[in-house]
Amino acid sequence: MPVAAPALPSNSLIEGMPPADRLRILKLCRPVDLVLGAILCEADRPLRYVYFPLTGFISLVATVSSHPPLEMGLIGSEGLLGATLVLGINKARLQGVVQGAGTALRMTSTQVRRELKRSPALCRIFNQYLYVMLAQLSQTAVCTRFHHIEARLARWLLMTHDRAHGDQFYLTHKFLADMLGVQRSAVTIAAGALQARRLIRYTRGEISIQSRKGLEARSCECYEATNRDYAELFV
């Protein structure tokens, strides 16, 4: 029997567009590499491009003077960077940093603004995804305030796993600390607890998911709430 070819990487938002809109958007997009650590947009600076991740993922980071950065959200192949353009605002509010190397499709902000005027379907998708991102940001704020570190770490590892397209990915202690807004020592304790339960294996920044179900059990309710917001609109 012939072996089925592996599915090509795709972006869920693009795949969910009406056929005519999808073909037009794909013709305008250019494939680009997402390089680990690359800054794709700066807070309070004009958006030059919109990114539709295929295999990499992007971290939305808030910065406050005299404090380390704090991760507020993640964008993978389920979404896009630059949804605020649908509001007529060509400015990023958070810094966009590549936290998972991979590939993406990229359009200029000028092209996106033109297509938004042309396509009601594209406007609807951007608006729906913007709602999902606002929900994720607000859930992150609540999670950071009320939930203990181990549950928050389990939540972020699950979110990263969803977007990493594999059971192994690279996250340094510094990034994990920034992600949770805590000291590195707190990350060491929380990651050690998850490893002791054989839910993850963590060595020199390399994280391997050993039991996804176990992580889901240790995670706070925020992970399921964020997924539910997305599923209600797109799944």
Side-chain angles (χ1 to χ4, degrees):
M1 292 179 62
V3 178
L8 294 175
S10 63
N11 179 277
S12 297
L13 295 187
I14 291 179
E15 291 301 307
M17 295 176 186
D21 294 85
R22 181 170 64 249
L23 289 174
R24 193 170 63 250
I25 293 298
L26 287 173
K27 287 181 180 179
L28 293 172
C29 284
R30 293 198 173 191
V32 295
D33 291 328
L34 295 179
V35 180
L36 184 66
I39 297 174
L40 304 183
C41 65
E42 292 279 10
D44 299 320
R45 299 288 297 274
L47 281 163
R48 296 180 60 199
Y49 300 103
V50 167
Y51 293 84
F52 297 90
L54 301 176
T55 58
F57 53 96
I58 302 163
S59 193
L60 295 176
V61 178
T63 56
V64 180
S65 59
S66 303
H67 291 279
L70 177 65
E71 184 180 70
M72 300 299 294
L74 279 176
I75 301 169
S77 60
E78 85 293 343
L80 68 98
L81 176 66
T84 51
L85 286 175
V86 75
L87 301 175
I89 300 172
N90 186 28
K91 186 171 71 171
R93 184 61 189 89
L94 298 170
Q95 187 182 65
V97 184
V98 176
Q99 293 296 352
T103 58
L105 296 177
R106 188 179 77 180
M107 292 175 64
T108 68
S109 59
T110 301
Q111 290 172 326
V112 172
R113 289 197 300 270
R114 184 170 62 242
E115 291 301 317
L116 286 170
K117 292 178 180 179
R118 179 177 183 178
S119 171
L122 188 63
C123 282
R124 182 177 67 253
I125 288 172
F126 268 58
N127 277 318
Q128 289 173 330
Y129 185 68
L130 184 59
Y131 169 83
V132 169
M133 287 308 304
L134 289 173
Q136 186 182 143
L137 294 173
S138 61
Q139 198 73 47
T140 296
V142 171
C143 188
T144 302
R145 173 63 179 85
F146 292 114
H147 293 150
H148 61 83
I149 295 172
E150 186 180 328
R152 288 163 52 200
L153 177 58
R155 176 200 175 204
W156 281 111
L157 291 177
L158 287 167
M159 292 176 66
T160 303
H161 189 220
D162 289 341
R163 295 160 175 82
H165 300 277
D167 292 335
Q168 293 182 314
F169 43 87
Y170 182 79
L171 294 175
T172 65
H173 259 187
K174 180 182 184 306
F175 172 67
L176 288 171
D178 291 346
M179 183 169 66
L180 299 173
V182 297
Q183 299 295 320
R184 290 192 191 188
S185 57
V187 169
T188 300
I189 294 170
L194 295 178
Q195 186 162 246
R197 293 186 174 91
R198 298 183 179 179
L199 307 183
I200 65 171
R201 186 168 63 243
Y202 184 49
T203 306
R204 296 180 180 178
E206 291 287 344
I207 293 180
S208 176
I209 303 299
Q210 303 294 297
S211 172
R212 182 177 173 88
K213 287 185 178 180
L215 275 181
E216 290 173 351
R218 298 301 300 175
S219 175
C220 57
E221 64 199 67
C222 298
Y223 174 71
E224 185 177 348
T226 302
N227 283 352
R228 186 170 58 247
D229 289 330
Y230 188 90
E232 287 175 353
L233 293 175
F234 292 110
V235 177

